[in-house]
Amino acid sequence: MRSENAIVMTEKVLRITPEVHLPPGAGGKAQGLQLIARAGLSIPPAWVVLRDAAEAEIDALGEELLRGGEVACVVRSSAEDEDRGATSFAGVHESLLGVRAQDLRRAVTEVAASTVSRRARSYRRELGLPPPSGPCSVVVQEMVPADRAGVAFGIGDDNDAVLIEAVEGLGDTAVDGSATPEMLLLRRIEGAWRPARRTARSQGVVTAASGTGVSRVMLSELRHGDVLDDRCAAQLA
């Protein structure tokens, strides 16, 4: 992981830190990452490339990443109405895993344009949202070579329950439907998080980080074993 002191900042490429000012156009994912950082939680180094960033600014970020050594990145959409209470756009806009620094400009362009795709337009029509105004901002973040990944949701006004979905490998298999993630519901009882319900996963493919980015491995048999043990799930909660 690169040093926290290595900060790329141009007018349209901003390092996501607790103190930096992110304009509304930075989008939901960038602002969400900043909220996590402000809460004191650790996030991998991340930048937001605003929708009108110049190619030279994107190239400068790629060069900075290369100077720190070969690193794989995740390139994710960050539209203004994305990751909101009623509009998540989960699985609608593009995310690219294992992007090499030398391929960054191409990846940013592809992900930014996914807001105007047929799939995105259909999603907007279903929710009664206006048509997309053009490409969106994009988050570039150093990729964690996870052996388990997923999502966690707080439940209830009192934050007394957490729902976790997890798969083996990187999390894209849970998003694209190629795996059914393990689901755990935990409740806070007398100050401790305790599993209340667990639903087994069904996973026939694993995506893992590799030297060239990512690779997908088909499994000869479906895997059904626990992804997270109770202690790990409680730590996440």
Side-chain angles (χ1 to χ4, degrees):
M1 197 65 68
R2 100 187 36 261
S3 167
E4 289 298 316
N5 295 322
I7 299 179
V8 168
M9 294 280 280
T10 70
E11 184 178 353
K12 299 298 182 180
V13 177
L14 303 173
R15 174 72 183 269
I16 300 175
T17 62
E19 64 278 0
V20 72
H21 170 70
L22 295 182
K29 281 196 177 72
Q31 291 162 357
L33 283 169
Q34 186 178 58
L35 286 173
I36 293 171
R38 285 177 174 173
L41 300 175
S42 175
I43 65 169
W47 296 260
V48 59
V49 180
L50 300 181
R51 58 187 295 176
D52 51 352
E55 290 183 350
E57 292 177 288
I58 302 172
D59 291 342
L61 175 56
E63 291 167 4
E64 168 67 21
L65 292 169
L66 279 174
R67 277 195 291 271
E70 185 65 32
V71 62
C73 292
V74 179
V75 179
R76 309 173 69 202
S77 62
S78 188
E80 288 190 51
D81 48 8
E82 189 170 2
D83 283 6
R84 303 299 184 188
T87 56
S88 71
F89 286 86
V92 175
H93 295 159
E94 290 293 335
S95 291
L96 299 178
L97 305 179
V99 175
R100 299 179 301 171
Q102 54 265 42
D103 299 324
L104 188 60
R105 190 204 305 174
R106 174 197 58 78
V108 167
T109 301
E110 179 180 341
V111 171
S114 67
T115 55
V116 297
S117 68
R118 180 178 301 177
R119 181 171 56 188
R121 290 179 183 276
S122 176
Y123 180 83
R124 287 180 170 276
R125 283 195 300 269
E126 290 176 8
L127 295 183
L129 299 174
S133 58
C136 66
S137 298
V138 170
V139 165
V140 176
Q141 190 168 28
E142 291 192 13
M143 188 177 78
V144 175
D147 57 8
R148 293 168 290 174
V151 293
F153 305 91
I155 300 175
D157 294 335
D158 297 328
N159 293 319
D160 60 350
V162 169
L163 182 68
I164 300 174
E165 294 183 350
V167 293
E168 184 179 348
L170 303 178
D172 64 318
T173 56
V175 176
D176 66 18
S178 57
T180 300
E182 174 180 77
M183 185 174 69
L184 297 93
L185 176 66
L186 296 96
R187 297 194 180 278
R188 186 158 48 194
I189 301 173
E190 297 180 350
W193 290 102
R194 304 190 185 282
R197 186 170 72 248
R198 183 189 294 266
T199 301
R201 62 161 165 165
S202 178
Q203 186 169 5
V205 60
V206 171
T207 304
S210 68
T212 57
V214 295
S215 60
R216 288 170 71 92
V217 179
M218 299 299 297
L219 305 176
S220 58
E221 297 181 359
L222 288 177
R223 297 192 184 179
H224 299 287
D226 292 348
V227 179
L228 302 175
D229 59 28
D230 291 353
R231 179 180 178 185
C232 183
Q235 288 176 329
L236 288 170

